[in-house]
Amino acid sequence: MRSASSRQSVSSIRFVFLGAAGLLLAACHSGGHPDDPALLQRVLTDYFDAIGQHDTAKMQALTTNDFILYEDGLIWNNDSAFKNIRRHLPFTVKYTLGNMHSYVDEHSGDCVYTNRADFVFHDSDNVHIEFLETASFRKTAAGWKMNVLHVTEREPRYDTIRYLRDHYAQRLKVFAAEPLVMGRLVFLGNSITELGDWKKLTGDSTAVNRGIAADNSFGVLDRLGEVIARRPRKLFLEIGINDIAQDIPVGVIENNIYSIARLVRAGSPNTSVYVTSILPTNNDVRQEYPELYGKNGIVQRLNYELRLHAMENGFGYIDVWRRVVTADGDLHRRYARPDGLHLNEAGYRVWAELIRNLPH
């Protein structure tokens, strides 16, 4: 389905957030010098500025030797964090802190605050992320230094249910009744995959269609065993737009997609795995799929992470998105059905061309 979602993905983008910052002091409690809370804020803003400027020397000067950053289960120090940031260059970011609460005594201090990061990647991809953060500080002979930064992305509530459950069950029955033939091309995904005539599009009468309308990445994980058992020659994975419609966080979607890819690689080592970009939608989507309207920015963010992860882990990446998108980031009507979500014949021909041009 559609719309543009570090660590393996979103977390990398999440840390890349550090840049120039504006700081709002909402509340402050101190048992140390009256000026200490402001000094802690200054360390924070200077550290963020240093990251935005890619100034590792300044980052290190503002932190203790044992500085550590926790980010949604990931652990970084200054060196590893900077390497992660470099992976996402070029980018710019505006970083705004608010709701600041501080506590300071003679030797240590803590700040709890909110954060909004506004990124622009490659001068075109806009990403906005909200965080909850905590920073801890130690007072040294050289002044206040940060020793711990804890970052958590604020994520919306979401569900993981698969819609059209009867259709899902019926498709599984059809799959189970088909002969188990190995070494074929397999297309795995949601309705965008299911609606493709892959035998005709690829010129391969043995191509296997494993698309299920309304499926999401959780549904694909649940039914992956049947696909692995076929030991495909090539697997083309297209999934994620229904996850976006359900407001599943980008990091969760990306992790699921690459869990699928890794499980296939582990269970069928000779299979070439290709991850397909998530497609954009256009304004026509408001009529039939209003839950996807206005989410093309999420599609771009997720595609950015998927492409990066594929390059780093040896999976193929098929960038259909770039071939069917308008300058405004929407699905071009030339390639879309009237629902603003699914591809028409011209759109599928573009996709098939990209597959035909893959190295053998």
Side-chain angles (χ1 to χ4, degrees):
M1 301 175 56
R2 83 88 154 181
S3 159
S5 1
S6 314
R7 152 203 45 238
Q8 286 174 235
S9 38
V10 147
S11 16
S12 333
I13 267 192
R14 286 189 252 192
F15 182 70
V16 136
F17 60 91
L18 301 170
L23 197 58
L24 173 63
L25 180 62
C28 179
H29 306 284
S30 174
H33 192 280
D35 292 338
D36 283 341
L39 294 176
L40 300 190
Q41 296 173 49
R42 181 59 183 269
V43 172
L44 277 174
T45 55
D46 286 352
Y47 184 77
F48 300 156
D49 286 342
I51 295 179
Q53 298 159 7
H54 315 138
D55 187 343
T56 53
K58 187 174 181 181
M59 290 166 59
Q60 291 168 345
L62 293 164
T63 55
T64 59
N65 291 334
D66 59 350
F67 170 77
I68 194 166
L69 183 148
Y70 298 101
E71 183 212 9
D72 287 346
L74 297 178
I75 302 175
W76 312 86
N77 60 21
N78 275 332
D79 290 337
S80 61
F82 187 70
K83 289 177 182 176
N84 189 42
I85 290 169
R86 264 196 326 224
R87 294 169 64 235
H88 293 82
L89 293 173
F91 71 89
T92 60
V93 59
K94 179 180 179 182
Y95 186 71
T96 305
L97 306 181
N99 302 312
M100 178 69 64
H101 296 264
S102 301
Y103 176 83
V104 187
D105 62 25
E106 292 182 2
H107 304 291
S108 63
D110 299 282
C111 291
V112 180
Y113 53 95
T114 58
N115 165 12
R116 175 183 169 92
D118 298 291
F119 298 95
V120 179
F121 293 96
H122 299 281
D123 297 323
S124 60
D125 296 345
N126 295 287
V127 176
H128 312 288
I129 313 176
E130 300 281 345
F131 300 96
L132 300 175
E133 300 180 9
T134 302
S136 296
F137 304 82
R138 289 187 199 147
K139 197 167 191 177
T140 71
W144 286 104
K145 295 197 176 191
M146 183 161 49
N147 65 302
V148 177
L149 182 59
H150 195 164
V151 178
T152 301
E153 183 175 357
R154 301 181 73 169
E155 297 174 339
R157 298 177 66 89
Y158 63 93
D159 66 68
T160 63
I161 64 172
R162 273 77 82 191
Y163 301 113
L164 302 181
R165 298 183 75 85
D166 290 345
H167 179 72
Y168 184 94
Q170 182 58 40
R171 289 286 284 171
L172 292 185
K173 289 180 181 178
V174 171
F175 299 162
E178 294 178 359
L180 184 63
V181 181
M182 300 185 184
R184 305 302 192 193
L185 301 182
V186 175
F187 292 82
L188 177 61
N190 50 41
S191 59
I192 298 173
T193 292
E194 182 178 350
L195 292 172
D197 185 348
W198 297 109
K199 291 179 170 61
K200 178 180 178 181
L201 288 165
T202 62
D204 183 344
S205 62
T206 67
V208 177
N209 189 327
R210 286 297 179 264
I212 299 183
D215 204 5
N216 60 20
S217 60
F218 292 91
V220 170
L221 281 167
D222 286 347
R223 60 188 175 93
L224 192 58
E226 188 268 346
V227 173
I228 294 175
R230 292 181 171 275
R231 303 294 190 270
R233 177 163 52 91
K234 294 181 180 179
L235 175 70
F236 300 95
L237 174 62
E238 172 275 315
I239 199 70
I241 194 64
N242 290 318
D243 301 69
I244 291 172
Q246 293 175 265
D247 292 323
I248 295 173
V250 168
V252 175
I253 304 170
E254 185 196 0
N255 282 341
N256 283 356
I257 289 173
Y258 279 106
S259 291
I260 294 166
R262 288 190 294 270
L263 287 167
V264 172
R265 174 179 281 174
S268 181
N270 293 324
T271 298
S272 297
V273 179
Y274 296 89
V275 175
T276 304
S277 60
I278 298 172
L279 301 181
T281 63
N282 61 43
N283 288 343
D284 297 332
V285 81
R286 286 181 293 184
Q287 302 304 314
E288 292 188 47
Y289 305 99
E291 65 276 12
L292 279 170
Y293 180 68
K295 292 185 177 178
N296 277 332
I298 301 173
V299 171
Q300 290 186 26
R301 175 183 171 190
L302 185 51
N303 282 340
Y304 179 88
E305 291 292 340
L306 293 178
R307 180 175 64 246
L308 187 65
H309 196 116
M311 292 169 55
E312 294 176 341
N313 292 274
F315 298 112
Y317 182 74
I318 301 178
D319 197 354
V320 183
W321 177 90
R322 196 164 297 277
R323 291 286 302 273
V324 299
V325 72
T326 68
D328 295 326
D330 295 335
L331 177 60
H332 201 299
R333 285 186 170 85
R334 178 188 309 157
Y335 304 114
R337 296 189 181 197
D339 62 15
L341 168 64
H342 295 97
L343 295 176
N344 59 19
E345 289 187 12
Y348 280 109
R349 285 197 296 270
V350 169
W351 190 349
E353 178 188 358
L354 292 172
I355 291 173
R356 287 193 298 272
N357 291 334
L358 291 172
H360 295 287

